[in-house]
Amino acid sequence: MIGYILLIISVVEVILGFYLIFRYVKSPATIYYGLFALSVALYVGANGYGFSPFSENDIWLEIIAWIGGTFTAPFILGFSYSFPYPRKSNKEILSLVLSPLVFFFVVILFSNTFVDHNSVISFDEGFQRPVGELHWFVLSVFFFYWVWSFIELVKSRKKSDGFNKNFLLILIIGLVFSLLVSVFTNIIHPLVDVSKLGYMGPLASSIWLFITGYLILRK
C-alpha cells in the first residue's frame, strides 16, 4: 500500500514541478523550485516503485533515488539565490547549480565508486545501503551544498518582509525536518541495519513540498 501512495504522490509532484517551470509566472526562483520538485519526485517515485509489487529490486531504483535526493541540493541553492529576487546573475547561479550535477553524473553515477551496482536491494523486505568507495565523499559534497543553501536562505529571509519572510521560515523549517528524517531513514539506518523505514524520508519530503508549493502558487 505504501508503494502505491508514494507513486501517486510522485505523480502529483511531477505535475507541480512542470507547472512551476512552464505554466506559472516564470522567474528563476519558480524554475529552480520546479526543478527541485521534480528531483523530489524522482526520489519519492523510486522509493514508491521499490515498495510496490512491481519492483524486482533493481539496483537502478537505488540510483534513481540517489539522483533525485542529491539533485535537490543544487536546485534549492539556485532557488536560495533567486528568491525573492536574484542576488547573483543568472549565469553565475546556473554555474553553481550545474557544477555538482556534472560532477555527480560524469565522475560518480555510472561507476561502482558511489553505489555498488552489483548489490541488490529490497525496499519492501528491508534493505541495507550498497555503497562504493567514494560514497561518503560524494555525500559530503552535497552536504556542503545543503549547508550553503541554508545559509543563503537565512540571508534572504533577513532581507525579506511580509509573505516572503514567513514563506522562507516555513521553507527552512520544512527543509531541516525532512532532511533529518531522510538522512536517518535512507542513509544512516540502512548502513548499520536492515531498514524498513525507507518510506518515511519520501513522505516527510513530500508533505512540506506540497505546503511550500501551495504557498508559492497562492502568491
Side-chain angles (χ1 to χ4, degrees):
M1 177 61 73
I2 189 63
Y4 292 120
I5 294 173
L6 291 178
L7 285 172
I8 293 171
I9 289 175
S10 69
V11 171
V12 177
E13 289 168 343
V14 168
I15 295 172
L16 172 63
F18 279 117
Y19 185 81
L20 287 169
I21 294 171
F22 295 110
R23 300 280 299 189
Y24 194 60
V25 177
K26 287 187 177 180
S27 71
T30 56
I31 290 174
Y32 282 120
Y33 208 76
L35 292 171
F36 174 72
L38 293 178
S39 297
V40 175
L42 276 181
Y43 167 59
V44 174
N47 278 273
Y49 193 82
F51 278 102
S52 74
F54 311 112
S55 174
E56 297 180 355
N57 301 325
D58 194 328
I59 190 62
W60 285 100
L61 284 176
E62 178 76 358
I63 294 174
I64 292 172
W66 274 113
I67 292 174
T70 52
F71 281 19
T72 57
F75 286 143
I76 204 65
L77 178 64
F79 175 83
S80 68
Y81 272 114
S82 305
F83 186 88
Y85 53 85
R87 289 184 286 117
K88 287 182 178 291
S89 69
N90 290 335
K91 186 176 181 180
E92 288 176 315
I93 297 174
L94 186 61
S95 66
L96 293 176
V97 171
L98 290 181
S99 297
L101 303 188
V102 172
F103 162 77
F104 186 76
F105 260 116
V106 176
V107 181
I108 301 300
L109 180 60
F110 297 106
S111 72
N112 287 331
T113 56
F114 179 51
V115 174
D116 183 0
H117 293 191
N118 297 318
S119 299
V120 178
I121 61 171
S122 177
F123 284 84
D124 54 342
E125 297 175 4
F127 68 96
Q128 287 184 291
R129 183 70 63 201
V131 300
E133 298 172 358
L134 297 180
H135 184 83
W136 290 107
F137 171 71
V138 176
L139 288 186
S140 66
V141 171
F142 284 89
F143 178 76
F144 167 77
Y145 269 81
W146 270 110
V147 173
W148 188 358
S149 300
F150 283 129
I151 292 173
E152 295 304 324
L153 287 171
V154 171
K155 288 181 180 179
S156 293
R157 185 174 183 273
K158 288 181 178 179
K159 297 179 181 180
S160 302
D161 56 16
F163 170 86
N164 293 333
K165 193 178 187 73
N166 294 330
F167 170 78
L168 286 170
L169 177 61
I170 294 172
L171 179 62
I172 292 169
I173 293 173
L175 284 172
V176 171
F177 170 74
S178 60
L179 190 61
L180 289 175
V181 173
S182 296
V183 166
F184 175 74
T185 60
N186 291 74
I187 297 178
I188 296 176
H189 193 205
L191 285 173
V192 299
D193 195 7
V194 176
S195 175
K196 293 186 178 181
L197 302 175
Y199 64 90
M200 293 185 65
L203 283 179
S205 301
S206 299
I207 289 172
W208 64 260
L209 175 63
F210 287 142
I211 293 173
T212 53
Y214 172 74
L215 291 175
I216 289 179
L217 294 176
R218 278 196 59 190
K219 184 175 181 298

